Amino acid sequence: MPLQRSNTADKFIVDRRKPHRNSDVARAVRKTRDRLSQQAGSLDFDRELLKLHARAMVSAVAIPLLVLAVAAIGRLAGLDSQIAIWALSTLLCYTIVAFMARRVERTEAAELDPAQTRRDFLIGHFLCGLGWAWFAWVGCDTCQVDQFHVAKAMVILVAMAMTAVLASSLGGALFATFAIPVAVYVYTVMRQWTPIEATMAALLIAALPFFGYVARHLNQASLMVLSFRSEKDALIAEVETAKSMSDEARRRAEDANLAKSRFLASMSHELRTPLNAILGFSEVMANEVLGPMNNPTYRDYAHDVHESGQHLLDLINEILDLSRIEAGRYQLNEEPVVLVTIVEDCCHMMELRARNKDIRVIQEFEETLPRLFADERAARQITLNLLSNSIKFTPSGGEVRVRVGWTAGGGQYISVKDNGPGIPEEEIPVVLSAFGQGSIAIKSAEQGTGLGLPIVQGLLAMHGGEFELHSKLREGTEAIAIFPLSRVMEELPALPTKTVAVARGRR
């Protein structure tokens, strides 16, 4: 993603002054929260249940098919035209309910009046119930159907079960539809009251509260589904919010990184120009190139100025190196290198400094190590940083042990171990962070930038390697730089001398 310049200076993560960047996300989050982040039993859940009931009624064809089947079987059984008129009137009632449901389904949930819509639905189901009451009243004096009242009871029982399932989202719909039909059926069979008819009447009376119980549990299941959907969409809203915040934070981080890069590029030029003069003139004065200095204090001041300028130059170089590594702009000049040779040269470079502190540098190198495909400058910088830290914190009379060898995975490693004061375990993450210094370094007032180990980590990461730091108080510290197996180059076998001579002779 290309870096973009930002003129914002506020401390908010979401940029309030850029509404075109945040308005879409904010609107979606607000709509989701307002619509679905509700508690069960609220008006919003009532509206959702009414919408579910409307969808069920629009797609419900089972009951109208049952009505048509009953009317067709009744005509075949010898019933008069009354059964056809009943079927048409009942289908008209269900059509009215379907049109009402279609209108509710097309209306936004927020625009529904739950009380009015519920009342309209119950009235529609009551009208359908009058149709079923008519069916319960229909007689069959001339038809050839035995146990006609039993057949009617079975039809009403099936219709009751279908309604309990389809209209479960609307509480009271089952009783509004079938309370009167069941009462009418019981009244019609009381005139004959045979055992089988009494049994069917009792079955219908018992089935009505049973199917009401089933409908109630289905209604609770629908509420639970709505609640789960609400929680899911609330989580989606939270994710969208976090995403918008992270996008804005990333944009601001990119802006800050661009500003940092520009600042470092500008300041490195602005600082190095006067530093060159400071270092050059202070060195001339300290070495008395143009003549002796009568006051020795001035000579000491010139040494101090030169050392301070050199320290500042090293700091600038390390900051630039670390910033390039973090930005992914550090270019590796990879070539076959001998790791032992590089480490040996670095040890010679640091030998004078170690001798001044009476520190022994012990070298333990494995022989016949193959070449490593790496950046020689980076490998030297890694080694010098590790050696510099060890010599800096090792007391006089101590020793620094440098080893180069194979890793267990077939790679190569550089190990620098000292017997200095060590680092507390809880301070190791601090030491590995940029500009981080442990308590030992602060107490001993050792001069340093706190960038050496982060640079080592970054350079090793660019090579695909790893960095390990092991330390214990009063026992010393061991820093290990590991290059992976993929960087180790295979040794090719030498060509036989005789074969080469024969080949030349044939030419």
Side-chain angles (χ1 to χ4, degrees):
M1 181 176 180
L3 297 175
Q4 299 176 357
R5 186 174 182 178
S6 174
N7 296 321
T8 60
D10 59 311
K11 295 185 291 185
F12 297 99
I13 293 178
V14 177
D15 192 357
R16 304 297 183 184
R17 292 179 289 177
K18 293 185 180 295
H20 62 282
R21 299 176 69 105
N22 306 314
S23 58
D24 295 338
V25 174
R27 193 181 304 112
V29 172
R30 183 167 57 252
K31 183 178 179 181
T32 304
R33 288 180 182 276
D34 293 342
R35 184 169 63 88
L36 292 170
S37 296
Q38 310 291 338
Q39 296 296 326
S42 66
L43 290 178
D44 293 272
F45 266 93
D46 291 340
R47 293 187 180 100
E48 291 293 334
L49 286 174
L50 289 173
K51 297 278 283 187
L52 287 177
H53 179 71
R55 284 192 285 271
M57 289 296 102
V58 168
S59 59
V61 295
I63 297 180
L65 289 177
L66 176 64
V67 172
L68 292 175
V70 169
I73 294 172
R75 290 296 293 170
L76 292 176
L79 290 174
D80 55 13
S81 59
Q82 184 181 10
I83 193 67
I85 298 173
W86 163 80
L88 291 176
S89 60
T90 304
L91 288 176
L92 178 62
C93 293
Y94 277 105
T95 303
I96 293 173
V97 173
F99 275 110
M100 189 185 308
R102 175 73 68 178
R103 179 176 57 83
V104 171
E105 188 181 20
R106 293 178 178 177
T107 306
E108 291 291 336
E111 299 176 2
L112 288 177
D113 183 1
Q116 181 64 36
T117 306
R118 176 184 172 83
R119 185 163 52 249
D120 294 342
F121 271 131
L122 289 178
I123 291 174
H125 285 288
F126 178 76
L127 293 177
C128 296
L130 292 180
W132 287 109
W134 186 358
F135 175 75
W137 183 262
V138 171
C140 185
D141 297 332
T142 59
C143 65
Q144 301 176 356
V145 178
D146 295 334
Q147 303 295 337
F148 179 67
H149 289 291
V150 175
K152 286 198 301 183
M154 295 301 297
V155 171
I156 294 174
L157 192 64
V158 172
M160 194 183 301
M162 291 180 177
T163 304
V165 174
L166 294 174
S168 60
S169 299
L170 181 67
L174 181 66
F175 290 95
T177 306
F178 288 98
I180 294 180
V182 170
V184 171
Y185 179 85
V186 172
Y187 177 76
T188 56
V189 299
M190 283 180 62
R191 292 176 295 179
Q192 299 178 2
W193 204 250
T194 60
I196 185 65
E197 293 172 343
T199 302
M200 296 308 298
L203 180 62
L204 286 179
I205 294 173
L208 187 60
F210 171 74
F211 284 122
Y213 174 79
V214 172
R216 181 182 175 186
H217 275 266
L218 290 176
N219 184 275
Q220 292 178 351
S222 299
L223 279 175
M224 187 175 296
V225 169
L226 288 176
S227 177
F228 288 156
R229 192 179 72 179
S230 172
E231 293 178 3
K232 179 197 72 174
D233 290 336
L235 289 176
I236 292 175
E238 293 293 338
V239 170
E240 290 293 336
T241 304
K243 182 178 181 298
S244 66
M245 296 172 67
S246 65
D247 289 343
E248 188 65 24
R250 183 185 62 195
R251 183 188 65 82
R252 294 174 64 83
E254 290 171 351
D255 292 344
N257 187 50
L258 178 61
K260 182 192 73 173
S261 300
R262 290 175 175 170
F263 170 78
L264 291 175
S266 175
M267 292 306 295
S268 64
H269 172 73
E270 297 296 332
L271 290 175
R272 287 188 187 200
T273 301
L275 269 178
N276 289 331
I278 293 172
L279 291 174
F281 293 151
S282 61
E283 187 175 4
V284 168
M285 295 168 63
N287 295 330
E288 300 179 338
V289 174
L290 300 179
M293 298 179 65
N294 297 325
N295 194 332
T297 306
Y298 288 166
R299 190 184 311 111
D300 295 338
Y301 286 167
H303 281 292
D304 294 340
V305 170
H306 187 272
E307 291 179 0
S308 300
Q310 188 63 47
H311 173 69
L312 183 57
L313 183 61
D314 294 340
L315 175 60
I316 293 172
N317 291 333
E318 289 185 349
I319 290 176
L320 289 175
D321 286 341
L322 184 60
S323 63
R324 281 197 296 267
I325 291 171
E326 291 178 346
R329 297 179 180 177
Y330 191 98
Q331 298 295 328
L332 292 179
N333 184 20
E334 297 169 318
E335 57 182 348
V337 297
V338 179
L339 193 59
V340 172
T341 304
I342 294 175
V343 176
E344 191 174 7
D345 291 343
C346 293
C347 290
H348 288 314
M349 292 174 61
M350 301 298 294
E351 187 175 357
L352 179 61
R353 184 175 174 183
R355 193 181 303 162
N356 292 334
K357 291 187 65 175
D358 193 21
I359 295 174
R360 288 191 307 152
V361 178
I362 303 173
Q363 302 178 21
E364 297 178 358
F365 302 150
E366 291 190 19
E367 301 295 336
T368 66
L369 284 177
R371 292 178 180 268
L372 201 67
F373 192 67
D375 187 342
E376 183 177 354
R377 176 177 174 271
R380 288 183 182 277
Q381 191 169 5
I382 290 170
T383 307
L384 289 174
N385 283 347
L386 297 182
L387 281 171
S388 175
N389 280 344
S390 293
I391 294 174
K392 183 189 302 182
F393 295 106
T394 301
S396 298
E399 67 177 25
V400 174
R401 191 176 299 270
V402 184
R403 293 183 296 174
V404 179
W406 291 100
T407 64
Q412 296 182 14
Y413 73 92
I414 304 171
S415 171
V416 179
K417 185 177 181 181
D418 61 64
N419 57 357
I423 305 171
E425 186 176 355
E426 64 275 7
E427 292 184 3
I428 290 181
V430 177
V431 172
L432 294 177
S433 63
F435 299 101
Q437 289 185 327
S439 58
I440 303 295
I442 296 174
K443 291 177 182 178
S444 61
E446 286 287 348
Q447 201 176 46
T449 62
L451 296 176
L453 295 184
I455 290 175
V456 170
Q457 285 182 298
L459 292 176
L460 285 171
M462 294 182 68
H463 284 83
E466 299 178 359
F467 178 68
E468 297 180 1
L469 186 65
H470 307 287
S471 183
K472 289 185 179 180
L473 280 176
R474 293 178 293 277
E475 293 185 13
T477 303
E478 182 179 13
I480 306 174
I482 301 173
F483 291 90
L485 172 62
S486 58
R487 291 279 172 179
V488 179
M489 303 179 66
E490 296 182 1
E491 294 285 349
L492 296 177
L495 291 174
T497 306
K498 293 182 180 180
T499 305
V500 176
V502 171
R504 288 179 178 175
R506 289 178 180 177
R507 289 182 182 176

